[in-house]
């Protein structure tokens, strides 16, 4: 369960799912508001990576539940010939073991949820593995970024500010035509629509490419962390506890004065 089903499921979570260019562009513009950012919007990256990390919670919890079900299945089939003579004892042992496994699974599920919440609480962009990964170092090597760079060179757009070579034709110090007249912006439209030509689309495409690369790189690190931490938690908090404490729990639950005679009745007696 842990090494085949869970590991393959985590590895199969596609980091590029839901990373649509249009959605990223919309998210960037919504988060930036009226401000025009000069650098890659970190808020957009953190919002996207948190959405991807939340997708890991369901398979992690499902892995815990599958291990619980497997342990219960093993407890229901002890395969002990000696117990066949005492059906009441066998039934009581199975019931007590099932309750023990269930009680240990509750804190395990809470701990696994905490593992995911811990990753959501702080996006550690200073992580050495993340900072030195090829996806981060070569973020602008993405095909979209290369096309954006070529388009920018053709248009002669320079710098983050998007300043072109074509400035105003009005000489310095000269008043613009009609400067003394009152200027009016006219009526306010019911719906403001941003003209695509007014957006520095080349820079935006480069930022989108970088955000996608950063998201894929960081998500890979989180997947590796969850894939390693969840099986360890299952073994420590559930499997080992059942193995080590089952005999003691059965003795406490079953070996009492008022249950001994009833449980030790042989079949057919």
């Amino acid at each position: 369960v842990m090494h085949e089903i869970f590991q393959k499921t985590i590895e199969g979570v596609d980091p590029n799912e839901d990373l649509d260019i249009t959605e990223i562009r919309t998210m960037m513009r919504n988060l930036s508001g009226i401000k025009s950012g000069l650098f890659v919007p970190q808020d957009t990256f953190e919002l996207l990576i948190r959405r991807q990390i939340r997708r890991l919670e369901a398979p992690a919890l499902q892995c815990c539940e599958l291990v619980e079900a497997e342990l219960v299945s093993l407890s229901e089939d002890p395969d002990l010939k000696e117990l066949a003579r005492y059906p009441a004892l066998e039934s009581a042992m199975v019931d007590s073991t099932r309750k023990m496994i269930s009680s240990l699974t509750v804190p395990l599920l809470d701990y696994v949820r905490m593992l995911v919440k811990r990753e959501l609480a702080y996006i550690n962009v200073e992580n050495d593995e993340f900072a030195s990964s090829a996806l981060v170092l070569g973020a602008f090597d993405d095909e979209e970024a290369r096309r954006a760079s070529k388009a920018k060179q053709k248009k002669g757009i320079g710098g983050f500010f998007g300043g072109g070579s074509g400035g105003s034709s009005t000489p310095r110090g000269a008043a613009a035509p009609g400067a003394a007249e009152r200027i009016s912006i006219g009526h306010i439209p019911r719906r403001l629509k941003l003209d695509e030509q007014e957006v520095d689309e080349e820079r935006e495409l480069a930022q989108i490419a970088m955000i996608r690369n950063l998201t894929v790189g960081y998500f890979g690190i989180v997947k590796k962390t969850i894939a390693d931490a969840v099986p360890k938690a299952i073994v420590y908090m559930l499997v080992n506890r059942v193995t080590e404490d089952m005999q003691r729990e059965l003795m406490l639950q079953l070996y009492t004065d008022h249950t001994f005679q009833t449980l030790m009745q042989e079949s057919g007696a």
Side-chain angles (χ1 to χ4, degrees), residues 7-151:
Q7 296 290 340
K8 290 181 180 179
T9 301
I10 292 295
E11 291 174 2
V13 179
D14 185 9
N16 286 309
E17 187 174 338
D18 298 333
L19 293 184
D20 181 71
I21 294 179
T22 304
E23 186 175 1
I24 296 176
R25 177 186 286 115
T26 304
M27 194 177 299
M28 286 170 53
R29 295 181 183 178
N30 289 341
L31 290 173
S32 63
I34 62 173
K35 298 181 295 183
S36 178
L38 302 181
F39 307 105
V40 177
Q42 185 171 345
D43 291 342
T44 305
F45 161 69
E46 292 189 358
L47 190 63
L48 286 172
I49 192 61
R50 283 191 171 94
R51 188 171 68 181
Q52 298 295 82
I53 292 173
R54 288 189 184 94
R55 297 170 57 201
L56 300 177
E57 182 175 340
L61 295 176
Q62 187 179 14
C63 179
C64 299
E65 293 167 353
L66 287 175
V67 173
E68 177 193 15
E70 185 65 22
L71 291 175
V72 170
S73 177
L74 291 173
S75 69
E76 291 175 349
D77 187 20
D79 195 22
L80 295 175
K81 295 180 180 180
E82 294 82 357
L83 286 177
R85 297 175 52 189
Y86 310 101
L89 176 61
E90 182 179 8
S91 176
M93 288 179 60
V94 170
D95 186 58
S96 297
T97 304
R98 187 188 300 113
K99 290 179 180 178
M100 178 185 177
I101 295 172
S102 178
S103 66
L104 291 173
T105 304
V106 173
L108 171 62
L109 294 175
D110 291 338
Y111 179 77
V112 171
R113 291 189 186 96
M114 186 273 295
L115 289 176
V116 178
K117 289 179 180 178
R118 184 184 66 175
E119 297 295 335
L120 292 170
Y122 177 56
I123 306 301
N124 185 17
V125 295
E126 301 296 331
N127 180 285
D128 291 338
E129 184 179 355
F130 174 66
S132 60
S133 67
L135 283 169
V136 176
L137 295 176
F140 281 107
D141 290 338
D142 190 274
E143 181 63 26
E144 295 167 341
R146 286 200 297 268
R147 285 192 277 109
S149 178
K150 290 179 182 179

Side-chain angles (χ1 to χ4, degrees), residues 86-242:
Y86 310 101
L89 176 61
E90 182 179 8
S91 176
M93 288 179 60
V94 170
D95 186 58
S96 297
T97 304
R98 187 188 300 113
K99 290 179 180 178
M100 178 185 177
I101 295 172
S102 178
S103 66
L104 291 173
T105 304
V106 173
L108 171 62
L109 294 175
D110 291 338
Y111 179 77
V112 171
R113 291 189 186 96
M114 186 273 295
L115 289 176
V116 178
K117 289 179 180 178
R118 184 184 66 175
E119 297 295 335
L120 292 170
Y122 177 56
I123 306 301
N124 185 17
V125 295
E126 301 296 331
N127 180 285
D128 291 338
E129 184 179 355
F130 174 66
S132 60
S133 67
L135 283 169
V136 176
L137 295 176
F140 281 107
D141 290 338
D142 190 274
E143 181 63 26
E144 295 167 341
R146 286 200 297 268
R147 285 192 277 109
S149 178
K150 290 179 182 179
K152 182 177 290 187
Q153 291 174 4
K154 289 180 181 179
K155 289 188 176 184
I157 300 175
F160 280 106
F161 294 95
S165 58
S168 174
S169 59
T170 304
R172 183 175 297 181
E181 299 177 3
R182 183 176 179 180
I183 302 174
S184 174
I185 64 172
H187 70 283
I188 300 177
R190 291 186 177 181
R191 185 176 181 182
L192 293 174
K193 184 177 180 181
L194 185 63
D195 190 353
E196 290 294 331
Q197 295 179 354
E198 296 178 5
V199 180
D200 190 348
E201 198 162 339
E202 293 77 19
R203 183 184 65 187
E204 196 173 55
L205 283 175
Q207 290 182 344
I208 291 172
M210 176 174 282
I211 288 174
R212 294 183 68 178
N213 280 345
L214 294 177
T215 303
V216 171
Y218 194 88
F219 189 55
I221 296 173
V222 176
K223 284 203 303 182
K224 190 159 50 176
T225 301
I226 296 297
D228 180 67
V230 170
K232 290 179 179 178
I234 292 174
V235 172
Y236 174 70
M237 301 182 67
L238 182 59
V239 178
N240 286 355
R241 289 286 303 278
V242 171

